[in-house]
Amino acid sequence: LRAGSRNEHTHRRNLSVLLTLAHQRGPLSRADLTRATGLNRSTVGALVAELTDLDLVNEAPSPGNRTVGRPSPIVTANPGVVAFGVNPDIDAVVVSLVGLGGVVHGRKRIETDGELSVDHALDIMGDGMSQLLSDFGAPSRTAGIGVAVPGLVRAHGGIVTRAPHLTWADVPLQSLIVERTGLPTLVGNDAGLAMLAESVFGAGRDLTDVVYLNGSASGIGGGALVGGVPLRGTDGYAGELGHTLVTSDGIACHCGRRGCLETEVNLQRILAAAGLDEHHAGEFLEHLPASDSAALSAELDRAADVLGHGIANLISVFNPQAVVLGGFLSALYEERATRIHETTRADAFSPLADQLRIEQAKLGENVALVGAAELAFTPLLHDPLM
Ligand SMILES: [Zn+2]
């Protein structure tokens, strides 16, 4: 590199670091930014001024708490810089408009009937995006579209290799959406993106090593943050933690194996034990049914034990600071926390589980959408001058 291009590179990198801090940790004072980056005050001042000119951050005088000297202005990522988060799923397509800072401006859930074709999903997505924009008004900038898909997504090219619950296979989703909308688009696995959202804005905030398990009506998805970086694998398929083996002689799974975590710890099974219609599983993601039934109690014990066993396997691989549980796994944890901890400790290779934290996910129903938008923001955060 020539000296000029090296300086330009450093400059872009510093802008990226400041914008990312304002987006993920903001609002922050200029003094906070100076501390967090180790850059000197005048450099931070000039970079913030440049980001303000780009309309990517807003700067306002610090409210109250005047200490010695001039108050340090407060820097906030501009929530008018937006991305769309899209999540096609079995029973609905959900579209959201998310601003920098993780602000969810709006969300449309459009229910679908029967098998969802790719074309139909894209029509619904387009309608949802138009409605959200007409509610919101004109954004300062639209970074793009992020799509969270329940299935295997090839990171390179954004191809949905296999989404069993949608019956999609080898769908070039990224290029189809770019053709329709003209907006930059990135596609990822729903649980992997949920993990990203929890690690930036939720239960995994400030952690570098996290295993995330999300229980939905269609199974268990997962993701891992390793040394601060989401684990991707060669093709982008890493994190299919629902299809890790927990019982060698277990139930047959749709993936073709037996004894997968998602068939053994299963919301439909829990509802069946409670004598409830298992087709309304989606209603029980936040809280499991309350009942004195002995069958339900036994099934919750069994599920807690299997989950503890699964967690013990995962911590042998990842040695995480925390395991974050979302969806009905968080609800199961609410019912059987002690039992899950005990089984994990008993099954783990000591001392791996001694310091383990198990956390409940914090972002609720928007988690995959915020993660999808975060994916769409990635190029802008990486290079604010793009
Ligand atoms: Zn499986």
Side-chain angles (χ1 to χ4, degrees), residues 153 155-156 224 226 229-239:
V153 177
H156 184 73
V226 179
V229 179
L231 185 70
R232 235 183 55 152
T234 300
D235 300 305
Y237 300 160

Side-chain angles (χ1 to χ4, degrees), residues 10 67 91 108 136 149 152 168 185 248 257 263 319 332 343 361:
T10 305
T67 49
D91 53 353
K108 301 275 175 203
F136 180 75
V149 178
L152 293 179
W168 294 1
T185 301
S248 50
R257 297 155 28 111
T263 46
N319 182 210
L332 175 61
T343 315

Side-chain angles (χ1 to χ4, degrees), residues 86 88 93 112 114-126 147 149 158-160 163 166-177 179-180:
V86 182
V93 175
T112 55
E115 209 163 281
L116 178 67
S117 72
V118 176
D119 266 346
H120 188 41
L122 295 183
D123 287 343
I124 296 176
M125 180 195 81
V147 191
V149 178
I159 292 160
V160 179
L166 297 173
T167 65
W168 294 1
D170 301 317
V171 176
L173 195 60
Q174 179 183 317
S175 51
L176 289 174
I177 295 177
E179 263 169 42
R180 280 205 182 209

Side-chain angles (χ1 to χ4, degrees), residues 90 165 215-220 266-268 278 280-283 285 328:
I90 311 179
H165 301 291
S216 75
S218 53
I220 293 178
N266 182 281
L267 186 53
Q268 281 82 359
E278 57 187 74
H280 293 94
E283 294 158 28
L285 293 177
F328 85 86

Side-chain angles (χ1 to χ4, degrees), residues 19-377:
L19 180 60
T20 304
L21 278 170
H23 165 61
Q24 298 187 343
R25 311 289 188 90
L28 293 167
S29 69
R30 267 203 219 175
D32 292 333
L33 289 169
T34 305
R35 255 194 308 278
T37 57
L39 297 168
N40 67 47
R41 282 182 58 159
S42 61
T43 306
V44 168
L47 290 166
V48 169
E50 190 172 351
L51 291 172
T52 307
D53 286 344
L54 291 165
D55 213 11
L56 293 173
V57 303
N58 302 319
E59 207 174 12
S62 159
N65 268 354
R66 222 167 229 283
T67 49
V68 185
R70 281 179 303 162
S72 182
I74 298 295
V75 180
T76 309
N78 179 2
V81 176
V82 299
F84 292 98
V86 182
N87 179 209
D89 213 333
I90 311 179
D91 53 353
V93 175
V94 194
V95 188
S96 64
L97 188 70
V98 182
L100 280 182
V103 184
V104 179
H105 293 304
R107 166 194 164 94
K108 301 275 175 203
R109 186 176 193 280
I110 301 137
E111 310 241 337
T112 55
D113 251 340
E115 209 163 281
L116 178 67
S117 72
V118 176
D119 266 346
H120 188 41
L122 295 183
D123 287 343
I124 296 176
M125 180 195 81
D127 291 347
M129 285 169 55
S130 309
Q131 289 174 34
L132 286 166
L133 274 183
S134 78
D135 292 352
F136 180 75
S140 303
R141 185 197 293 218
T142 304
I145 302 172
V147 191
V149 178
L152 293 179
V153 177
R154 185 179 286 275
H156 184 73
I159 292 160
V160 179
T161 307
R162 188 164 167 234
H165 301 291
L166 297 173
T167 65
W168 294 1
D170 301 317
V171 176
L173 195 60
Q174 179 183 317
S175 51
L176 289 174
I177 295 177
V178 172
E179 263 169 42
R180 280 205 182 209
T181 64
L183 289 171
T185 301
L186 291 167
V187 185
N189 170 266
D190 57 353
L193 293 175
M195 190 279 299
L196 180 65
E198 284 291 338
S199 73
V200 174
F201 298 112
R205 205 168 185 172
D206 300 324
L207 303 182
T208 55
D209 292 271
V210 176
V211 170
Y212 173 76
L213 287 173
N214 184 64
S216 75
S218 53
I220 293 178
L225 190 74
V226 179
V229 179
L231 185 70
R232 235 183 55 152
T234 300
D235 300 305
Y237 300 160
E240 283 296 331
L241 305 180
H243 298 283
T244 49
L245 189 75
V246 286
T247 312
S248 50
D249 58 349
I251 309 161
C253 178
H254 67 82
C255 75
R257 297 155 28 111
R258 278 189 176 277
C260 288
L261 180 60
E262 84 165 33
T263 46
E264 299 294 326
V265 180
N266 182 281
L267 186 53
Q268 281 82 359
R269 254 177 96 147
I270 291 171
L271 295 183
L276 290 169
D277 183 351
E278 57 187 74
H279 298 295
H280 293 94
E283 294 158 28
F284 293 94
L285 293 177
E286 305 286 325
H287 298 286
L288 295 179
S291 150
D292 294 332
S293 129
L296 174 62
S297 180
E299 174 59 19
L300 293 183
D301 285 349
R302 196 196 63 82
D305 289 348
V306 177
L307 180 60
H309 187 61
I311 292 173
N313 285 340
L314 294 173
I315 65 178
S316 294
V317 179
F318 295 104
N319 182 210
Q321 291 156 300
V323 172
V324 177
L325 301 176
F328 85 86
L329 295 180
S330 172
L332 175 61
Y333 184 74
E334 224 157 66
E335 302 292 327
R336 293 291 188 275
T338 309
R339 195 166 175 122
I340 291 171
H341 276 282
E342 280 170 359
T343 315
T344 303
R345 259 197 302 276
D347 287 359
F349 181 20
S350 179
L352 278 166
D354 292 356
Q355 305 294 324
L356 179 72
R357 284 160 53 188
I358 298 178
E359 305 271 351
Q360 294 178 274
K362 286 192 177 148
L363 298 184
E365 61 177 7
N366 287 328
V367 65
L369 299 164
V370 172
E374 192 64 17
L375 181 66
F377 281 130

